[in-house]
Amino acid sequence: MNNESLHAARSTHPTRALHWLMLVVALSLPMLGHAKVQMLDRIVAVVNDGAIMASELDERINVIALQFQDKGQELPPPAIMREQVLDRMIIERVQLQLAERAGIKVDDASLNQAMSGIARQNGMTLEDFAAAMRQDGYDWNQFREQIREDMIISRLQQRSVASRIRVTDREVDRFLGSEMGKQMFEEDFHLGHILIRVPGAASPEDVQAAQSKAQDVENRLAGGEDFQQVAVSVSDGPKALEGGDLGWRPAAQWPSLFSEAALSLQKGEISAPIRSGAGFHILKMIDRRGGAEKVVTQYQVRHVLIKTDALTNSEQAHAQAQRLHDQIASGQSEFAPVAAEHSDDPGSARNGGELGWVNRGEMVPEFEDMMLNTPTGELSPVFETQYGWHFLRVDDIRDTDMSDEFRRMQATQALQKRRFEEELETWIQEKRGESYVDIRL
């Protein structure tokens, strides 16, 4: 992490908050005729030294099909559906294998914290959330394991991609002075996306074929075909099965390739194919809105961090953090001297664990979630992030006018987010290209 002595918990990439509608996509529903499926089960893809079974693929397709029905959307042809879902599963499997080799794990304590955060986002306790899911026919244990896998993949991406991204003061200055930087505080875009992928070692003929396909897609959309349906059937993008919907984001936080093209698009308009290293992109301006808030909520936070290292494993670090937490909670010790003596975040430890005034979106997701859900003046539970085991206390909350410092922080995050997404897609394709994948559909 850049300048670790400042704040060990500050995020170097955009918040990837877990939420119900995204994560339920990957759940597995009970299947009809399960015994028959088991007898006919077979391998549909070999990924390095692992395999994806037909039953796994069918279960994932069942859940996605249910979501299409809930939204009243027409399902793509079965062959396309299977290909799209299998491709997503292959990419997940490659990343999970990389994470396993790197020793990246998510223990039950961290998983339980994430599950509680998902429940809070749905206005429920964890117990009520679990009961509601079971009532709807979902397998709670499988849901928990899918959340664990998503967290593992997120940590892998952070370690492999986001940790390498650095933004200099000069780049921030240039950005704030640019037209895009000025528009950052003026407009948000809601974009749809279709990607026609070009393989990494593509021949000129492959590139020409992909370009022709992208042009054909543009013509179909111009002729009135539904963008979401076309995205589901042809897109190679990460949100293909969601109809290519990338959601809302400030203009400056989109990859520069997208933001530059989107600036001239009005609501409902479609871009011409845009070439990148990944292939040809087609964007739809679903909607656009103006104005960033001029007042922001800030949190005065202090924390203690216990890192893992060659001499301290995760269980030992957790136990030490819990012991220090209990000393403060019982009144045996004060927060500031405990942080000064024991915290492994040297920048804040010198100030009794004080991180200063923190803005939303500035911390890694696990830290921010705990910060937002801990009452002022109370100790949080002990929790884990990629940096180690923490506990925190929110000493005060305030609303403040947007300052130059906040604008610079927002600009820095926008540049980090833009680069992260640009690098992530390339990194994923590189890792898939380096893997042995044998598709047996």
Side-chain angles (χ1 to χ4, degrees):
M1 136 170 274
N2 191 21
N3 198 0
E4 189 174 61
S5 64
L6 288 178
H7 306 308
R10 291 192 187 273
S11 173
T12 58
H13 77 295
T15 298
R16 303 181 69 243
L18 300 171
H19 59 86
W20 165 250
L21 290 178
M22 284 178 60
L23 293 175
V24 78
V25 171
L27 289 174
S28 298
L29 282 175
M31 295 181 61
L32 298 176
H34 184 67
K36 182 177 180 180
V37 171
Q38 288 288 68
M39 286 190 298
L40 298 177
D41 209 359
R42 62 186 180 84
I43 294 174
V44 292
V46 176
V47 184
N48 294 318
D49 56 355
I52 298 173
M53 307 304 294
S55 58
E56 296 178 83
L57 177 59
D58 290 338
E59 288 171 357
R60 186 76 68 94
I61 289 172
N62 281 353
V63 177
I64 295 174
L66 181 63
Q67 289 191 319
F68 271 78
Q69 292 173 4
D70 290 342
K71 296 177 182 178
Q73 295 178 351
E74 182 182 349
L75 288 171
I80 292 176
M81 183 81 153
R82 290 177 70 81
E83 183 179 339
Q84 291 273 12
V85 176
L86 181 59
D87 186 67
R88 177 179 291 187
M89 293 177 72
I90 289 170
I91 290 173
E92 289 175 3
R93 195 64 57 91
V94 167
Q95 293 180 89
L96 288 170
Q97 291 171 350
L98 288 170
E100 183 178 9
R101 289 200 291 271
I104 298 174
K105 299 178 181 178
V106 171
D107 61 22
D108 287 341
S110 300
L111 178 60
N112 289 336
Q113 290 163 8
M115 301 298 291
S116 297
I118 298 171
R120 283 194 296 272
Q121 291 170 19
N122 287 275
M124 303 181 191
T125 65
L126 184 58
E127 293 75 16
D128 291 341
F129 184 61
M133 286 196 60
R134 291 188 179 107
Q135 185 175 355
D136 288 340
Y138 292 101
D139 186 311
W140 177 246
N141 291 328
Q142 288 182 350
F143 180 61
R144 281 175 53 84
E145 291 311 305
Q146 182 62 43
I147 300 297
R148 192 195 303 271
E149 290 184 356
D150 287 339
M151 292 174 68
I152 290 171
I153 289 173
S154 177
R155 292 183 181 184
L156 172 71
Q157 292 175 352
Q158 170 70 17
R159 179 184 295 185
S160 303
V161 181
S163 62
R164 300 199 302 255
I165 297 173
R166 298 290 181 266
V167 176
T168 67
D169 288 342
R170 180 177 296 181
E171 289 174 311
V172 173
D173 291 336
R174 284 201 302 264
F175 178 78
L176 287 173
S178 69
E179 185 63 28
M180 180 57 61
K182 295 173 184 175
Q183 293 211 12
M184 176 179 181
F185 301 99
E186 298 173 2
E187 280 199 287
D188 294 345
F189 294 154
H190 183 186
L191 295 181
H193 173 240
I194 292 173
L195 169 64
I196 306 302
R197 183 182 297 153
V198 174
S203 66
E205 291 77 15
D206 292 334
V207 175
Q208 181 60 47
Q211 185 174 10
S212 297
K213 182 177 179 180
Q215 188 62 58
D216 178 64
V217 170
E218 182 191 7
N219 293 338
R220 290 168 58 185
L221 295 170
E225 290 196 38
D226 181 76
F227 188 93
Q228 287 190 329
Q229 293 296 327
V230 174
V232 169
S233 63
V234 305
S235 179
D236 298 313
K239 295 293 183 180
L241 291 171
E242 288 79 25
D245 191 340
L246 298 180
W248 283 99
R249 196 177 302 172
Q253 290 189 14
W254 291 104
S256 55
L257 197 70
F258 290 8
S259 57
E260 291 167 5
L263 278 174
S264 61
L265 295 178
Q266 298 305 310
K267 182 178 179 180
E269 291 184 343
I270 308 291
S271 75
I274 308 163
R275 180 74 163 98
S276 79
F280 292 90
H281 308 262
I282 298 173
L283 302 177
K284 177 180 180 179
M285 179 62 72
I286 298 173
D287 203 356
R288 58 194 298 169
R289 64 190 180 197
E293 294 183 358
K294 302 301 179 184
V295 176
V296 297
T297 300
Q298 296 181 314
Y299 301 80
Q300 191 174 41
V301 182
R302 64 177 70 232
H303 82 134
V304 169
L305 166 66
I306 305 299
K307 290 184 177 181
T308 59
D309 54 33
L311 299 178
T312 306
N313 62 32
S314 180
E315 291 76 14
Q316 292 169 329
H318 185 195
Q320 183 181 356
Q322 189 66 56
R323 177 177 59 81
L324 297 173
H325 173 280
D326 293 345
Q327 287 179 8
I328 298 172
S330 65
Q332 298 177 37
S333 304
E334 295 294 325
F335 200 116
V338 168
E341 182 177 356
H342 297 286
S343 180
D344 291 327
D345 177 15
S348 67
R350 287 193 294 268
N351 298 315
E354 179 64 59
L355 289 171
W357 288 100
V358 176
N359 303 299
R360 294 187 66 162
E362 195 172 351
M363 297 298 193
V364 292
E366 301 91 342
F367 195 103
E368 176 166 302
D369 183 64
M370 194 62 68
M371 177 182 76
L372 297 179
N373 290 284
T374 300
T376 304
E378 296 185 13
L379 281 182
S380 76
V382 174
F383 63 98
E384 187 182 20
T385 73
Q386 67 201 65
Y387 302 109
W389 290 91
H390 312 247
F391 58 90
L392 61 81
R393 188 178 73 200
V394 178
D395 290 337
D396 199 4
I397 300 175
R398 71 181 183 186
D399 290 332
T400 186
D401 289 337
M402 183 184 296
S403 63
D404 289 340
E405 179 182 355
F406 179 72
R407 290 172 63 89
R408 292 186 67 83
M409 184 272 292
Q410 291 284 84
T412 300
Q413 289 182 353
L415 290 169
Q416 289 171 338
K417 185 178 180 68
R418 173 189 293 182
R419 290 187 186 171
F420 176 80
E421 295 199 352
E422 292 171 345
E423 292 292 330
L424 179 61
E425 181 63 28
T426 300
W427 177 82
I428 287 174
Q429 295 307 320
E430 286 177 355
K431 294 307 174 185
R432 175 169 177 168
E434 294 168 1
S435 302
Y436 173 77
V437 176
D438 179 16
I439 297 175
R440 302 179 181 180
L441 280 179

